[in-house]
Amino acid sequence: MAAPSGTYTADHHQKVKVKGSRKLSMNFKSGGDPVAVTEAAPQSSQPPARRRNSSLIVVSAEKIRQRQKELYDSKKDPDEKDYHTSVHQQKPEALARSQNSMLGSDGVQCKEGPAGIDVREVTRLTEVSGKNIITPAQKENIWLRLMKQIFTGIFNVLLWGTVIVEEVLIYLGASDDFVTPIILASVVIAAGFLQWYTELQAESLMDALSTMKATDPVPTVRREGNKRKDMTLDASDLLPGDIVFLKQGDRVPADVRILWCTEGMEVDNAALTGESIPEVRETAPADPDCAPSHARNVAFYGTTIVKGNATALVYFIGDHTFLGKIASSIKSARSKSTLEIQIEHFVHLIAVVAVVVGLASLVANLLSPTRHPIGYIIANAAGALFAQVPEGLIPTVTISLMIASQKMSASNVLIRKLDAVETLGCVSVVCSDKTGTLTSGEMTLRDLVHFETETSMATTTEFEGLKTDAHHHLAAKMMRHGVRNNATVVMGGGKFLGSPTETALMKAGVAIWSEDDVKKIMENPTLYEIPFDSSNKYMFVAEPHRDGAQILSLKGAPERVLRFCKFAYVGTGADEGIKPLNDAMMKTINDSAKKLMTQARRVLAIAERRVKFPADFPWGTTSIEDVQKLMLTEMVFVGLYGIQDPPKAGVKQAVEACHDAGVKVIMITGDHPDTGVAVAKEISIIPSGVDLPPYTVITDKELHDKVPATDNFTDDEDPESLRLAAFWKEVVLHARVFARVTPIHKQLIVMALQKWGGLQDDGKSIGDIVAMTGDGVNDAPALKQANVGVAMGIRGTAVAQDASDIILLDDQFASIVLGIEQGRLSSENLQKSIGYTLCSKVPQCIPNFMELCGIPLAMNVSQVLAIDIGTDIWTAIAYAWQPKESQLMERTPRHPLAEKIVNKGVLVYSYGYIGILQMVWCWIMYFTADGIMDNIGDHTFTPEAKMVNKKASTLYYYTLVIGQIAAAIATTTYVESLCKYKLPNMKLNICIILEVVFSAVIIYWPPAQKIFATTDLSISQLVYPWMTFVVISIFEELRKVQIRKRVSKPKDALKEKLLNP
């Protein structure tokens, strides 16, 4: 039965309208070699940009795969964005019927008899299904993008408007200022080019997708009635229901269900999963609870057959394939970062201020009793507008972030995206893997526990000094058996081959003694050995001992070893230390084992027995049953090993530093909850010695049915949404450990934190800023979802690293804390830099309005440019090297939605405080010019009067330079006194010195005097303006004293809140 017109279906789950949709070819080529898009190894010859984009495709694929599995596990229906079908669960005959196709007379091989779709239906099916083509994203011309960067945006429009006005005035003869438009245009073009170049570094993902195409025509079988028609089709002409024949080396041309394949057929899915190992395919129908992306009887468009041959049925083509779903997910525009949002907010704010000031100046000049030419009035208004625009903002931000990222690389934090520097400083929650990030990732011997008395056990944690021949020392006896009863191979050079727990014992032996001493112990002949296996859960070794005797050792799970023990060593390993093992002692052993387990230890027991079998005992023919009857009946318990993947050095201190900084740390582990809790207590993620409140520890069972049906959580009022919201609100508030968690859950945890975290005093949530660590391909979606994705540099896969924002080159959690600190410092310095830049805006624009009072213009546009571009921009950039204040990591995180970089406090400080102080002193110095009072109210000036005006204007300019020097020094700290903080930023100090030098050049160099309308100043006129510096510095020190008095929050308050929610 034909599919209804207007739709095509693989089954009843997916129904997609395609009629009338626009399909664009991906430019399939024939005859080329297949290009395997795999996870790039270090030696890969693949270009970095292509490797990066291929990895990002894997990220999108993994996100779809994980969401699909979550939906299947929780028995929820997918939505239109999900990849969903049931073809993998159907038998071939039923599948062929559902696709209007037919199997051959030989069955699933389809090599004989009519098979496939009917050629008479091809035209109709093509109209319904469309071409087997993935619609590429439309690209913007790179040169058009450059033009947009230079000529669009509020700042750029304002600045270009100013340039045009200046040029028109020059053309009309109303102005002779050629410098201003040239400098302005240069700044705008340079800033736009920098932004454009930065964006070009991110290659198009669709370019990477275009490399994942079929390269050869596809052998296909169709039918015409009862006649078989073998043909070779271009991949773009394939239709659902087509039966295709694939061989080794072929690129899979569509999403296909494998009907028949040779044994051991393998498909390289690296382009979608990042896994370099090919995956075996089979033909049997999948289980009902198996997601299609995890089924082994399907192959996906763009993957490669690396072994074997197959007959397959096409079920999805083009945009409906798994690769098509990926393409759809990455076509959407990149979301703006928190920094971009904040800068955009600031730009709009300043634009409004600039336009208002410019219009006010225009109106004021038109209403002024002093009549000026229209050209002068327009130039004056343009100057007032321009004075409010921080034209160096964008290059300052970009360069400052680049400098910060270079500084962070010194702390082994590699910044992949500049915006991540600022976001990292706003992080309020760090979700960290346990193994390899919080812990060393290697099992280590931590404890040797043995009987001290018959009622108590002693624990040895320091192993140095134990001797190989100290047979009566219980700890030494345990270490010798740990080395001898061990299957680990010592490779030499600190390398070992064996299970993690046994390797831990062997490493401890080598560390205590030496590699040579350990080898001597291991070289003692083995008379009989029972290797460890999962059923026995123990290892048995018999070896020769003194005087023709033998010593037997049994190591394994405590419950298995104790089953064979009748005695125990107490206090000593000598014969007199052997005591009968009674119930009380057995309870003591079990209690000690449980205590070790609660401390996240993996526990093994060791027992021995000294026997003396005849010299001709048939060891070679002895069976395991004989060993159990003859040798394991009266073992002597020696002790317990406590083995753990220990916390890395410095992790506890780093976690506590996070708490001091108001950053919550959440552990995510696949281990048992008890193990996770023990490690979390050891490193201060959760407090020790207190009862944990509900929701502190969350397991996979609790998350099983807590996945939303859509891509994210919603605010809907339906029962299901309310149930999820109630659960996740509690989890976000209280959870500190997620145990038995799979990578599938990681993205869910991040989304919940971003949705319901960041609880404010008014009870509303603004979302946490989340950093998530990860190292595997399946971690990539969570890394992309997080505000800051943190990949591991040593253990991390290329896919995880490409999905991340930052990479920890040393895999150390402490590096995250250093990164947060540097991120905060970068944001703080950026805020100080912007605040400093804005300080001069009030004294720069006020002279335009003072002309209303008949006061000659105190500052012209070229002088404004001399300050903004000649000195301020370089000083602003120098803030990137500013060291931290002592209180930096004792403050709560700054949430970009609640507290923007440029907030009311910054504006009040710059415009209403420092700017006013600067303006007052600029006018004081202006009016000290001899004769300036006589020129007030005049409309025309003699050459002598013009020189007086020029002298006063030069004093105004020079005083503002000194005022900006005072602002530069004052803004280096928020609350800390400069007497304590001093002047540690040598680059800023150099810029301050250069400001003075540059101002001297403008004041005294004749060519500069002509450009900037300045004149020479006397010695006294150079000295008096420094009173501005003195006054501002005194005011600032008094202000900071008052702020320090108001800071009363104790240091431990944040930690207390995070540890005891």
Side-chain angles (χ1 to χ4, degrees):
M1 180 175 173
S5 177
T7 65
Y8 91 86
T9 62
D11 54 35
H12 66 281
H13 290 293
Q14 183 139 346
K15 184 176 182 181
V16 184
K17 295 181 180 180
V18 296
K19 194 168 183 178
S21 63
R22 185 165 176 250
K23 301 289 180 182
L24 301 177
S25 171
M26 286 187 68
N27 192 24
F28 284 5
K29 297 179 181 178
S30 59
D33 295 330
V35 181
V37 184
T38 63
E39 182 185 337
Q43 68 271 23
S44 172
S45 60
Q46 191 178 30
R50 178 171 294 181
R51 180 183 68 81
R52 178 172 66 251
N53 292 330
S54 301
S55 297
L56 291 176
I57 292 170
V58 174
V59 173
S60 298
E62 187 63 25
K63 181 176 180 179
I64 294 173
R65 285 161 56 89
Q66 291 186 10
R67 173 173 165 76
Q68 187 178 78
K69 190 174 188 307
E70 276 289 342
L71 291 172
Y72 268 74
D73 289 345
S74 57
K75 310 298 183 184
K76 292 186 177 180
D77 294 329
D79 61 19
E80 293 181 0
K81 297 179 181 179
D82 293 310
Y83 182 86
H84 190 70
T85 181
S86 62
V87 298
H88 59 301
Q89 299 169 355
Q90 299 180 31
K91 293 182 178 180
E93 296 79 5
L95 174 62
R97 287 194 300 271
S98 71
Q99 296 293 313
N100 305 308
S101 190
M102 179 187 293
L103 301 182
S105 59
D106 58 345
V108 291
Q109 275 195 272
C110 299
K111 293 296 179 70
E112 298 180 3
I117 60 175
D118 196 317
V119 294
R120 294 170 295 186
E121 293 289 318
V122 168
T123 301
R124 184 186 63 81
L125 289 175
T126 302
E127 291 178 354
V128 172
S129 305
K131 286 282 190 178
N132 182 26
I133 294 166
I134 293 179
T135 307
Q138 294 185 354
K139 287 186 180 180
E140 184 179 34
N141 184 278
I142 60 173
W143 303 113
L144 177 61
R145 192 189 312 169
L146 175 60
M147 293 299 102
K148 285 184 176 181
Q149 289 287 359
I150 293 175
F151 294 104
T152 61
I154 293 179
F155 262 15
N156 288 353
V157 169
L158 290 176
L159 293 175
W160 280 118
T162 305
V163 170
I164 292 172
V165 169
E166 292 283 347
E167 293 292 344
V168 170
L169 293 176
I170 292 171
Y171 177 76
L172 296 175
S175 173
D176 58 357
D177 182 7
F178 294 91
V179 176
T180 298
I182 292 174
I183 295 178
L184 270 179
S186 300
V187 169
V188 177
I189 292 172
F193 185 84
L194 183 63
Q195 287 282 94
W196 173 75
Y197 179 77
T198 302
E199 287 187 3
L200 284 186
Q201 302 310 299
E203 297 287 338
S204 170
L205 288 176
M206 298 309 294
D207 285 344
L209 280 171
S210 67
T211 67
M212 300 170 61
K213 55 183 179 290
T215 55
D216 295 314
V218 184
T220 310
V221 61
R222 289 177 176 173
R223 58 188 166 86
E224 186 174 5
N226 292 324
K227 294 182 180 179
R228 178 185 179 90
K229 296 184 73 69
D230 287 295
M231 57 187 69
T232 301
L233 297 177
D234 189 271
S236 62
D237 293 329
L238 291 176
L239 293 166
D242 267 329
I243 293 176
V244 297
F245 303 100
L246 304 174
K247 65 183 185 302
Q248 181 176 339
D250 285 347
R251 187 65 64 87
V252 178
D255 284 3
V256 299
R257 162 68 193 277
I258 297 171
L259 304 174
W260 171 88
C261 65
T262 55
E263 185 176 355
M265 173 195 167
E266 294 180 348
V267 175
D268 180 6
N269 280 338
L272 300 181
T273 66
E275 300 295 341
S276 58
I277 301 176
E279 298 179 10
V280 176
R281 300 289 96 174
E282 58 186 28
T283 60
D287 295 334
D289 59 349
C290 177
S293 59
H294 292 72
R296 293 200 166 199
N297 59 8
V298 296
F300 299 109
Y301 183 23
T303 59
T304 305
I305 309 295
V306 295
K307 179 181 178 182
N309 305 320
T311 300
L313 183 142
V314 175
Y315 65 90
F316 280 157
I317 63 173
D319 288 338
H320 310 294
T321 61
F322 193 68
L323 190 61
K325 293 289 183 182
I326 297 171
S328 298
S329 70
I330 62 179
K331 285 176 190 175
S332 58
R334 179 182 66 89
S335 59
K336 293 181 180 179
S337 69
T338 57
L339 179 61
E340 287 175 314
I341 293 171
Q342 292 178 85
I343 293 298
E344 188 175 280
H345 168 266
F346 171 60
V347 165
H348 282 83
L349 179 65
I350 295 300
V352 171
V353 172
V355 170
V356 169
V357 170
L359 291 175
S361 176
L362 179 64
V363 172
N365 277 277
L366 290 172
L367 299 177
S368 172
T370 303
R371 296 301 174 185
H372 294 294
I374 189 64
Y376 177 89
I377 292 174
I378 294 175
N380 207 15
L385 182 149
F386 168 71
Q388 297 305 307
V389 179
E391 54 285 320
L393 173 68
I394 301 303
T396 297
V397 170
T398 304
I399 295 172
S400 296
L401 293 178
M402 291 173 65
I403 293 169
S405 69
Q406 292 172 0
K407 290 174 66 178
M408 292 172 78
S409 66
S411 299
N412 291 311
V413 179
L414 177 65
I415 301 296
R416 297 189 62 251
K417 301 173 184 176
L418 283 181
D419 293 346
V421 175
E422 187 269 343
T423 309
L424 190 59
C426 299
V427 163
S428 56
V429 176
V430 176
C431 297
S432 177
D433 289 324
K434 178 181 75 69
T435 304
T437 305
L438 297 173
T439 63
S440 66
E442 296 181 355
M443 301 302 289
T444 304
L445 179 65
R446 301 292 300 276
D447 311 279
L448 297 175
V449 182
H450 47 80
F451 276 107
E452 187 174 37
T453 68
E454 291 188 34
T455 58
S456 64
M457 301 190 79
T459 301
T460 300
T461 56
E462 298 294 334
F463 312 130
E464 294 182 4
L466 299 180
K467 298 181 179 179
T468 57
D469 57 354
H471 304 295
H472 295 169
H473 192 289
L474 285 177
K477 183 187 286 289
M478 290 180 68
M479 278 310 310
R480 190 208 176 271
H481 283 313
V483 168
R484 184 62 186 84
N485 189 317
N486 199 314
T488 301
V489 177
V490 180
M491 308 293 289
K495 296 182 179 180
F496 305 83
L497 181 63
S499 71
T501 50
E502 294 203 324
T503 299
L505 295 173
M506 190 64 74
K507 283 183 177 179
V510 171
I512 296 168
W513 300 316
S514 69
E515 206 168 274
D516 291 338
D517 289 337
V518 166
K519 286 183 177 179
K520 288 177 182 179
I521 295 173
M522 296 178 68
E523 287 169 357
N524 196 38
T526 300
L527 301 174
Y528 193 87
E529 180 177 14
I530 301 177
F532 178 90
D533 63 42
S534 57
S535 58
N536 287 335
K537 293 188 177 180
Y538 64 74
M539 179 177 179
F540 172 82
V541 172
E543 56 180 317
H545 196 48
R546 298 186 298 270
D547 303 325
Q550 300 87 31
I551 187 167
L552 316 176
S553 61
L554 180 69
K555 174 174 63 65
E559 66 274 13
R560 296 300 178 94
V561 172
L562 290 172
R563 183 185 304 172
F564 300 105
C565 293
K566 299 293 185 184
F567 305 94
Y569 283 111
V570 178
T572 176
D575 290 343
E576 59 269 22
I578 299 177
K579 307 293 182 182
L581 188 60
N582 55 43
D583 291 342
M585 295 173 70
M586 188 70 77
K587 183 178 183 303
T588 301
I589 295 172
N590 289 328
D591 290 344
S592 296
K594 288 179 181 179
K595 182 179 179 181
L596 289 173
M597 291 177 186
T598 61
Q599 296 172 346
R601 307 297 200 260
R602 187 171 297 176
V603 182
L604 296 177
I606 185 70
E608 72 164 28
R609 182 185 177 191
R610 290 193 291 272
V611 295
K612 193 168 184 178
F613 290 101
D616 58 351
F617 185 84
W619 294 101
T621 59
T622 301
S623 65
I624 294 179
E625 291 76 15
D626 292 337
V627 170
Q628 292 177 343
K629 291 177 182 178
L630 296 174
M631 305 178 194
L632 296 181
T633 54
E634 296 183 345
M635 300 297 293
V636 181
F637 174 80
V638 182
L640 300 172
Y641 300 106
I643 301 171
Q644 182 196 21
D645 177 11
K648 287 183 177 178
V651 165
K652 186 176 188 294
Q653 293 79 5
V655 170
E656 291 175 347
C658 283
H659 291 154
D660 287 339
V663 178
K664 179 167 61 179
V665 180
I666 294 176
M667 176 194 292
I668 297 179
T669 178
D671 285 344
H672 190 277
D674 290 345
T675 303
V677 168
V679 174
K681 288 182 177 180
E682 188 172 355
I683 60 177
S684 298
I685 288 180
I686 56 179
S688 300
V690 298
D691 294 333
L692 299 179
Y695 296 99
T696 301
V697 181
I698 303 296
T699 66
D700 59 331
K701 293 180 181 179
E702 295 169 273
L703 298 178
H704 178 70
D705 61 343
K706 305 303 188 302
V707 56
T710 57
D711 285 343
N712 209 328
F713 296 103
T714 67
D715 293 319
D716 296 339
E717 297 294 327
D718 60 280
E720 176 63 10
S721 296
L722 293 175
R723 182 183 72 89
L724 292 178
F727 172 79
W728 281 107
K729 284 180 180 179
E730 294 294 330
V731 169
V732 165
L733 183 62
H734 297 288
R736 296 296 182 270
V737 175
F738 287 89
R740 295 294 192 201
V741 169
T742 65
I744 297 172
H745 295 126
K746 280 189 172 183
Q747 187 180 8
L748 198 64
I749 295 168
V750 174
M751 290 191 299
L753 288 165
Q754 292 171 334
K755 173 72 174 176
W756 288 294
L759 192 65
Q760 302 296 291
D761 294 337
D762 59 3
K764 295 181 180 179
S765 298
I766 57 175
D768 278 313
I769 304 299
V770 183
M772 168 67 79
T773 70
D775 52 19
V777 170
N778 47 18
D779 290 330
L783 294 176
K784 291 291 288 183
Q785 180 69 43
N787 301 91
V788 181
V790 183
M792 301 296 110
I794 299 173
R795 295 180 297 109
T797 61
V799 172
Q801 291 172 357
D802 287 337
S804 68
D805 301 294
I806 69 174
I807 299 173
L808 303 183
L809 299 178
D810 56 2
D811 288 11
Q812 294 288 341
F813 179 82
S815 295
I816 298 179
V817 181
L818 293 173
I820 291 174
E821 182 179 40
Q822 187 60 50
R824 287 191 180 189
L825 179 59
S826 175
S827 298
E828 185 175 277
N829 286 343
L830 186 57
Q831 187 178 63
K832 292 175 179 178
S833 173
I834 293 173
Y836 158 78
T837 303
L838 296 180
C839 285
S840 63
K841 299 308 173 187
V842 170
Q844 283 177 348
C845 76
I846 290 299
N848 293 279
F849 295 97
M850 294 302 289
E851 276 199 299
L852 291 172
C853 303
I855 298 175
L857 185 64
M859 175 167 267
N860 58 48
V861 175
S862 60
Q863 290 171 352
V864 171
L865 276 175
I867 290 177
D868 286 356
I869 298 176
T871 56
D872 277 5
I873 189 172
W874 311 113
T875 305
I877 291 173
Y879 276 86
W881 284 278
Q882 198 67 31
K884 68 175 182 177
E885 293 184 59
S886 58
Q887 305 91 347
L888 179 65
M889 289 297 282
E890 296 176 15
R891 304 170 188 159
T892 55
R894 179 184 63 83
H895 198 291
L897 296 181
E899 182 186 352
K900 295 179 171 59
I901 286 181
V902 183
N903 51 43
K904 182 173 67 175
V906 173
L907 297 178
V908 169
Y909 178 88
S910 298
Y911 286 115
Y913 170 47
I914 297 294
I916 297 297
L917 287 176
Q918 288 180 342
M919 181 194 69
V920 169
W921 279 94
C922 284
W923 283 116
I924 291 175
M925 292 299 108
Y926 176 87
F927 287 118
T928 61
D930 292 336
I932 190 62
M933 300 300 293
D934 297 332
N935 293 342
I936 295 176
D938 291 345
H939 306 302
T940 58
F941 302 100
T942 63
E944 293 78 10
K946 287 182 180 179
M947 183 56 66
V948 170
N949 293 344
K950 188 178 290 186
K951 177 80 70 172
S953 176
T954 304
L955 277 168
Y956 192 100
Y957 159 76
Y958 178 65
T959 305
L960 183 53
V961 170
I962 304 304
Q964 279 297 88
I965 292 174
I969 295 176
T971 53
T972 54
T973 66
Y974 283 135
V975 298
E976 197 166 330
S977 171
L978 287 175
C979 298
K980 176 183 176 183
Y981 186 76
K982 303 187 186 303
L983 300 174
N985 186 353
M986 188 53 61
K987 293 180 175 61
L988 180 62
N989 299 339
I990 292 173
C991 285
I992 290 173
I993 294 172
L994 291 178
E995 283 195 36
V996 176
V997 172
F998 185 72
S999 65
V1001 170
I1002 289 178
I1003 293 170
Y1004 292 104
W1005 190 40
Q1009 289 178 337
K1010 293 180 179 179
I1011 295 173
F1012 296 100
T1014 58
T1015 188
D1016 296 351
L1017 297 179
S1018 65
I1019 297 298
S1020 62
Q1021 289 172 328
L1022 288 176
V1023 172
Y1024 288 145
W1026 282 93
M1027 285 298 297
T1028 309
F1029 178 88
V1030 174
V1031 171
I1032 290 177
S1033 298
I1034 292 174
F1035 271 65
E1036 271 295 275
E1037 285 299 306
L1038 293 175
R1039 181 188 67 85
K1040 292 171 185 177
V1041 168
Q1042 295 302 315
I1043 292 178
R1044 288 196 295 272
K1045 288 180 179 179
R1046 292 201 304 267
V1047 177
S1048 58
K1049 179 180 286 186
K1051 179 179 178 180
D1052 291 339
L1054 291 171
K1055 183 188 294 187
E1056 185 69 19
K1057 180 179 178 182
L1058 292 174
L1059 284 174
N1060 299 290

